[in-house]
Amino acid sequence: MADKNINNVTRESWILNTFPEWGTWLNEEIADKQVKPGTFSMWWLGCTGIWLKTAESTNILVDMWCGTGKQSHGNGKMRIGHQMQRMSGVQAMQPNLRNQPFVIDPFAIKDVDALFVSHIHSDHLDVNTAAAVNANCPNAKFYGPKKVCEIWQSWGVPAEKTVVVKPGDVVTIGKTKVKVLEGFDRTALVTEDDPDVTLKGKMPQDMNNIAVNYLFETTGGNLYHAADSHYSNMFAKHGNENHVDVALGAYGENPRGITDKVTSVDILRMAESLKTKVIIPVHYDIWTNFMADPKEITMLWNFKKDRLQYKFKPYIWQVGGEFTYPDDKDRMEFNFDRGFHDAFSIDNDTPFPSFL
């Protein structure tokens, strides 16, 4: 409980008493959840981060990120070599302020069996998550493409805990099979920290070393995690070669001169190509300069649904919310529990006017 004496309140005490804003509420909810046979549950942690829990109580983290964006105007410029600077040809700082609260306490996590990271960008590959999983879940392995594993090891994650994955690999976690698929993150291709390489206009990156997509095949259904992939015709290949029940796509309103997030039109194209039953937009929530209204997807789906080649539904999630497949597959929007289920079940001593 916060100290109520103003002489004892400091910036440090305020931070410790306030963040993460949800405390351990979501940690407790996930730990207490008993996933029914024939289903899987997941919680949106912000950006493309999810916690996946199966009927066998296998717990898998994907792209869990506990960092932040801009906190100061600084000199008003992006560094040379920044992917947005290379893509747009400008150097003015992008105003990417974090827009969502922290809904989970990384240092209170437990019972995690594996951490999967899709690619090298810092809003997916997070040092806080790595530290927490390493400390609290000693048997958990860290799975990611080659460059991701190199970064983990540079942070101090033991090499024996990291597992390099590439498209075509299959990893088994409990009874969950994880297929590693091609990633389509062209923004990652222009990420380069070597100014000399950048100024020469080269693209030395190999996508398979820096970014992948994942398909989680659980005993209750299959989840496709597209990470930060742009729209690609290769989604059709993945849909032809795999069974997809639920797919996550990085949706957003791209700033002028930037092609980074999937638009509402291409979210629907992605769903058709993957032949998924449910498409869930993510990532649009986190950056103030990429925010988009997911209802645009619903509106467009309603306009086109009778002409779509494959039938699916969009689902509008909320950060911190749970989605269980197949229980929620026919719903189209998440709403938090509003409480007061037992209203007036006990005596209420509040006087009410007679007209109520």
Side-chain angles (χ1 to χ4, degrees):
M1 180 177 292
D3 195 315
K4 298 301 183 182
N5 185 325
I6 64 170
N7 296 309
N8 297 330
V9 174
T10 64
R11 183 175 186 274
E12 288 71 25
S13 70
W14 163 65
I15 290 171
L16 290 173
N17 284 312
T18 306
F19 302 98
E21 291 95 328
W22 282 27
T24 58
W25 177 282
L26 191 58
N27 301 72
E28 297 165 23
E29 178 180 318
I30 294 170
D32 292 343
K33 173 72 177 184
Q34 299 295 313
V35 180
K36 298 181 302 182
T39 73
F40 69 82
S41 294
M42 59 181 179
W43 291 261
W44 188 13
L45 308 179
C47 201
T48 66
I50 63 160
W51 186 307
L52 173 66
K53 188 171 186 178
T54 72
E56 299 78 33
S57 291
T58 297
N59 291 281
I60 297 173
L61 290 179
V62 188
D63 283 6
M64 177 173 158
W65 173 61
C66 303
T68 190
K70 296 293 185 295
Q71 295 179 301
S72 167
H73 286 269
N75 65 3
K77 295 181 179 180
M78 286 187 283
R79 62 174 171 80
I80 295 291
H82 188 281
Q83 62 268 20
M84 295 300 172
Q85 182 269 324
R86 293 191 70 193
M87 184 183 293
S88 64
V90 300
Q91 201 176 345
M93 180 191 297
Q94 62 162 331
N96 58 323
L97 301 167
R98 184 183 173 112
N99 190 58
Q100 283 290 347
F102 290 97
V103 296
I104 195 163
D105 184 342
F107 293 96
I109 65 172
K110 57 183 179 180
D111 301 326
V112 169
D113 297 291
L115 169 63
F116 284 82
V117 164
S118 61
H119 67 287
I120 57 175
H121 286 154
S122 59
D123 52 345
H124 303 259
L125 174 58
D126 177 52
V127 68
N128 305 290
T129 302
V133 171
N134 184 61
N136 296 358
C137 311
N139 296 320
K141 295 289 188 181
F142 293 61
Y143 298 88
K146 180 175 181 289
K147 184 64 174 177
V148 166
C149 288
E150 290 175 358
I151 294 171
W152 272 329
Q153 291 176 30
S154 75
W155 291 342
V157 177
E160 61 271 20
K161 285 190 174 184
T162 66
V163 181
V164 175
V165 295
K166 62 185 184 305
D169 289 349
V170 178
V171 175
T172 301
I173 311 294
K175 291 187 177 181
T176 297
K177 182 186 295 183
V178 186
K179 291 185 177 179
V180 184
L181 303 172
E182 297 93 342
F184 316 121
D185 186 359
R186 289 186 291 277
T187 302
L189 285 179
V190 296
T191 300
E192 180 55 66
D193 288 328
D194 183 348
D196 183 57
V197 170
T198 300
L199 292 172
K200 290 177 181 176
K202 296 181 180 179
M203 275 193 190
Q205 308 273 23
D206 179 342
M207 182 75 83
N208 292 342
N209 288 335
I210 60 175
V212 297
N213 292 351
Y214 294 111
L215 179 69
F216 298 90
E217 296 184 339
T218 80
T219 57
N222 296 350
L223 171 68
Y224 183 96
H225 193 292
D228 269 4
S229 286
H230 299 205
Y231 182 77
S232 171
N233 292 328
M234 289 282 283
F235 281 132
K237 175 179 183 289
H238 292 176
N240 288 343
E241 295 178 350
N242 302 280
H243 175 81
V244 180
D245 293 306
V246 182
L248 307 178
Y251 169 60
E253 194 70 54
N254 293 300
R256 182 173 181 270
I258 296 294
T259 300
D260 184 56
K261 300 294 179 283
V262 181
T263 66
S264 56
V265 172
D266 283 339
I267 278 282
L268 300 187
R269 292 179 69 202
M270 173 185 169
E272 272 205 302
S273 292
L274 289 170
K275 296 190 285 188
T276 186
K277 297 181 179 68
V278 181
I279 186 74
I280 304 179
V282 292
H283 212 320
Y284 66 91
D285 65 299
I286 205 72
W287 298 124
T288 53
N289 63 327
F290 276 89
M291 284 188 65
D293 190 338
K295 292 295 184 71
E296 181 180 319
I297 297 170
T298 305
M299 180 184 69
L300 192 60
W301 176 83
N302 275 306
F303 178 72
K304 299 180 68 172
K305 62 183 179 182
D306 294 327
R307 294 185 287 123
L308 295 171
Q309 187 174 5
Y310 294 99
K311 301 304 178 184
F312 62 88
K313 285 187 175 180
Y315 182 81
I316 309 305
W317 215 356
Q318 296 287 336
V319 175
E322 176 192 335
F323 177 90
T324 294
Y325 182 84
D327 296 11
D328 296 326
K329 71 179 179 64
D330 293 321
R331 297 179 59 196
M332 293 188 66
E333 192 162 345
F334 176 85
N335 192 36
F336 285 107
D337 182 5
R338 299 177 69 192
F340 298 93
H341 302 289
D342 296 325
F344 289 96
S345 62
I346 59 174
D347 289 340
N348 188 310
D349 62 1
T350 303
F352 285 92
S354 59
F355 60 80
L356 291 181

